[in-house]
Amino acid sequence: MTMKVHHTLLLTGAAGGIGIALRERLKANCDVLRLSDRVDMGPAQAGEEMVLADLSDAAQVSTMVQGCQAIVHMGGMATEGAWDTLLQANIVGVYNLYEAARQHGVKRVIFASSNHVTGFYRQNETITPAHPARPDSLYGVSKAFGEDLSRMYFDRYGIETACLRIGSSFAEPKDRRMLASWLSFDDLHRLITACLTTPVLGHSIIFGISDNAVAWYDNSSVRTIGYRPQDSSDVFRDAIYARTPEPDLSDPTVQYQGGGFLMAGIPMTAHKNGA
Ligand code: 15L
């Protein structure tokens, strides 16, 4: 398969956990990989460029985007947090990114959305990208904003976006919930590669998960872009069951897909209404 369809590819959030995992892998997808973050990313290696940029600063974001043909946007706030921080990183930041993409003629964006856009569905429900958003946190709301903003930039300006509702992308699943939500780094790279190379991406919402036996998502639409996960959380199942306690089924973090995000951040009692 041809992987290299863009000359200069921008990776935002390059200093984060996912960014570090993608840094080596994405070199196969471009001639020049431009790395960006607001903190130090270490020295540039062969085939890399670096731009320090704060997503909340429109001028810095414009410089970051200029000259790129596609963007893998993993930057921003990756967990629940203070509203002002989420506002700057995930709302102002994603607006600045799309405005820069429009102004500089970038036509394709891979956007790190999150399973927390739909975290208030229950763990025994199967959902598709067509289900309404049910964010479990302010973080989830901020990612839902990014999905809607990217939709508008597609409808108005034809900028194609894959909104990847990433489950839990770590080297290994860490707990029982992640047996359903895990996305290996190699499968994440496969998914991004499929999104970068498919001839027609349009505006797509895709659940970013590996080929796990337990799944909360009907992800069949990924076949249209050619993503076939090759990893599975199943090989970690026995070890995780052995080291973690029996789940308390009355606990909202066990009942709902968003897990611990249900109880993070602003005080939460309304889960009783979310049945
Ligand atoms: C996310 O969206 C977070 O960025 C990540 O840190 C994980 O907590 C993940 O969701 C998850 O749900 O496990």
Side-chain angles (χ1 to χ4, degrees):
M1 184 175 83
T2 305
M3 289 178 70
K4 200 179 281 193
V5 294
H6 299 103
H7 176 70
T8 301
L9 180 64
L10 169 63
L11 171 64
T12 71
I18 286 180
I20 290 168
L22 288 175
R23 183 169 172 173
E24 272 314 303
R25 290 170 171 86
L26 283 178
K27 285 184 191 166
N29 298 76
C30 55
D31 299 311
V32 176
L33 181 62
R34 182 178 298 173
L35 304 166
S36 184
D37 208 299
R38 62 182 187 149
V39 297
D40 183 56
M41 295 164 274
Q45 294 157 14
E48 293 179 345
E49 292 177 356
M50 276 181 185
V51 182
L52 274 176
D54 188 322
L55 292 169
S56 66
D57 185 315
Q60 290 181 19
V61 172
S62 178
T63 302
M64 173 183 88
V65 167
Q66 187 168 21
C68 294
Q69 284 76 56
I71 300 171
V72 178
H73 182 44
M74 300 287 132
M77 179 87 168
T79 57
E80 181 65 325
W83 168 243
D84 281 346
T85 312
L86 287 164
L87 176 64
Q88 293 307 318
N90 291 7
I91 294 189
V92 175
V94 79
Y95 167 74
N96 286 340
L97 186 93
Y98 275 90
E99 263 305 281
R102 180 183 70 78
Q103 287 166 12
H104 295 300
V106 178
K107 286 295 183 196
R108 192 166 289 196
V109 179
I110 316 304
F111 167 56
S113 184
S114 171
N115 72 90
H116 297 287
V117 169
T118 49
F120 245 124
Y121 286 95
R122 288 179 177 272
Q123 292 198 8
N124 61 356
E125 288 179 280
T126 305
I127 59 172
T128 72
H131 277 69
R134 291 184 72 176
D136 56 26
S137 50
L138 295 175
Y139 167 71
V141 172
S142 76
K143 290 296 184 181
F145 173 83
E147 291 189 357
D148 281 353
L149 188 82
S150 63
R151 173 92 238 179
M152 195 221 21
Y153 275 85
F154 176 63
D155 288 339
R156 272 187 176 239
Y157 307 113
I159 298 174
E160 296 185 297
T161 292
C163 298
L164 305 185
R165 288 185 181 164
I166 297 173
S168 307
S169 198
F170 298 100
E172 293 185 5
K174 298 177 179 174
D175 54 29
R176 295 188 189 207
R177 172 179 168 274
M178 289 190 193
L179 291 171
S181 60
W182 189 57
L183 174 64
S184 73
F185 291 141
D186 284 337
D187 277 345
L188 173 60
H189 180 233
R190 287 181 189 106
L191 176 54
I192 290 172
T193 298
C195 293
L196 288 172
T197 56
T198 192
V200 180
L201 180 65
H203 183 270
S204 310
I205 292 179
I206 297 164
F207 292 99
I209 47 169
S210 284
D211 186 19
N212 309 324
V214 176
W216 304 319
Y217 313 118
D218 175 349
N219 218 16
S220 47
S221 59
V222 293
R223 292 187 73 88
T224 64
I225 60 157
Y227 169 57
R228 305 274 172 87
Q230 291 178 27
D231 296 320
S232 168
S233 65
D234 302 348
V235 294
F236 302 100
R237 174 178 297 272
D238 289 349
I240 287 175
Y241 269 65
R243 70 167 187 258
T244 55
E246 280 288 314
D248 170 3
L249 298 182
S250 67
D251 180 349
T253 70
V254 173
Q255 293 172 337
Y256 294 94
Q257 295 178 5
F261 279 59
L262 266 291
M263 303 307 282
I266 53 176
M268 208 281 290
T269 53
H271 66 271
K272 294 186 180 119
N273 300 326

